[in-house]
Amino acid sequence: MTDTHALDASPAELARIAADIAVAVGTRIMELRELGVTVAASKSSITDVVTAADREAEQLVVTALQGARPHDAILGEEGTGIAGTSGITWVIDPIDGTVNYLYNIPMYAVSIAATVADTTAMADGRRAIAGAVYCPRLAELYEAWESGGARLNGAPLTISGKSDLETALVGTGFGYTVERRIEQAAMVSRILPRIRDIRRSGSAAYDLCAYAAGRLDAFFERGLQPWDYAAAALILRESGGALLGQDDSTPPGEPLLFAAAPSLVHELRSVVLGLPSE
């Protein structure tokens, strides 16, 4: 685990950098959306697209971070991999919810997190200490820093705290390969009869923040990557939520992430995986 006291900036300062850049880049991708969206490539399947705006937005985030924090490392969804010497790695998703962006559905976001090495925190071996998720179409800025709480447009966030699975509204998401979707469909078939309902926005960063804001009671997904959850996982933790991985020896992230109130998250995992109650 990295000692955050040894870093050259406080988590609160890093969160402000993340928020300022996320808002600026979110404003720009809104402008690009008005000009029309160009699909630049596909990734895991023909339905998993990258737009020209994704690439421009990632470069804008990288340029801004290097200007503000030239000694930090950067990991971006669209291929950025920059080494650093400060102990901080910025994990960025320039447009989380690209298909929503393509179709002009409001739930997409710029996600930026400052992370430090911590093999116990998440599956990618990093722990977010500051982060921001900005949803430009919704004009919603979610931000948090370690031990500083979480906020939506400046107002404190608190999870719903629901402990009853039967009346829980649960969020999830789906991948883009046939194999992954078959696995995810089986999970939904197990959980759906046991809950109030399922919601799927198309952006994991937005869904996790919606849970932090009390708009969902729980969330799970298979196959998330670090840039999908880096900032949002911190936001939900700082709002009172708990995270689990596939089992007690596996940190949250790849292959599975479960989020709910501490009193509910173990039951959520058991039902989704078809296991005996924990």
Side-chain angles (χ1 to χ4, degrees):
M1 181 180 296
T2 297
D3 180 6
T4 56
H5 295 292
L7 300 176
D8 63 354
S10 70
E13 292 169 330
L14 297 172
R16 178 44 46 196
I17 291 171
D20 289 346
I21 295 174
V23 170
V25 173
T27 300
R28 176 56 180 161
I29 65 174
M30 286 276 287
E31 294 170 351
L32 293 173
R33 185 65 191 71
E34 293 303 310
L35 296 174
V37 180
T38 301
V39 175
S42 60
K43 293 186 285 188
S44 62
S45 74
I46 193 171
T47 57
D48 185 9
V49 299
V50 178
T51 70
D54 285 275
R55 294 176 173 175
E56 179 175 332
E58 180 152 305
Q59 189 53 55
L60 288 171
V61 175
V62 169
T63 299
L65 286 173
Q66 288 185 310
R69 303 275 310 169
H71 303 297
D72 295 351
I74 303 176
L75 174 66
E77 181 184 15
E78 305 310 330
T80 299
I82 297 172
T85 58
S86 68
I88 294 172
T89 298
W90 293 91
V91 181
I92 61 176
D93 192 337
I95 305 178
D96 187 70
T98 297
V99 172
N100 285 352
Y101 183 74
L102 178 65
Y103 282 83
N104 207 21
I105 297 170
M107 281 73 78
Y108 56 84
V110 181
S111 176
I112 303 174
T115 71
V116 295
D118 184 349
T119 58
T120 67
M122 302 296 289
D124 65 323
R126 299 182 183 88
R127 182 179 90 253
I129 59 172
V133 174
Y134 182 55
C135 305
R137 275 286 304 277
L138 303 174
E140 292 184 349
L141 174 63
Y142 299 85
E143 55 188 326
W145 59 88
E146 199 168 57
S147 301
R151 295 159 190 80
L152 167 56
N153 293 343
L157 289 177
T158 304
I159 62 168
S160 70
K162 185 175 288 293
S163 60
D164 178 14
L165 189 63
E166 186 177 9
T167 58
L169 185 63
V170 179
T172 192
F174 305 118
Y176 289 99
T177 66
V178 171
E179 295 78 12
R180 179 56 52 83
R181 286 178 170 179
I182 289 171
E183 294 173 343
Q184 290 164 326
M187 292 177 182
V188 170
S189 72
R190 287 191 287 268
I191 191 72
L192 188 56
R194 302 282 298 276
I195 59 175
R196 185 188 299 277
D197 207 348
I198 284 279
R199 291 292 181 269
R200 198 270 187 181
S201 78
S203 164
Y206 173 80
D207 279 339
L208 289 166
C209 288
Y211 164 64
R215 297 173 184 170
L216 296 171
D217 300 309
F219 175 84
F220 72 94
E221 189 165 344
R222 182 178 186 87
L224 293 177
Q225 298 301 315
W227 39 79
D228 297 319
Y229 60 71
L234 172 65
I235 290 164
L236 77 85
R237 276 179 165 144
E238 288 294 322
S239 67
L243 285 166
L244 292 179
Q246 178 171 258
D247 51 52
D248 289 342
S249 64
T250 307
E254 175 64 27
L256 280 159
L257 180 150
F258 299 91
S263 58
L264 181 62
V265 69
H266 287 87
E267 183 182 2
L268 173 72
R269 179 170 69 178
S270 295
V271 173
V272 168
L273 296 180
L275 302 173
S277 298
E278 297 183 47

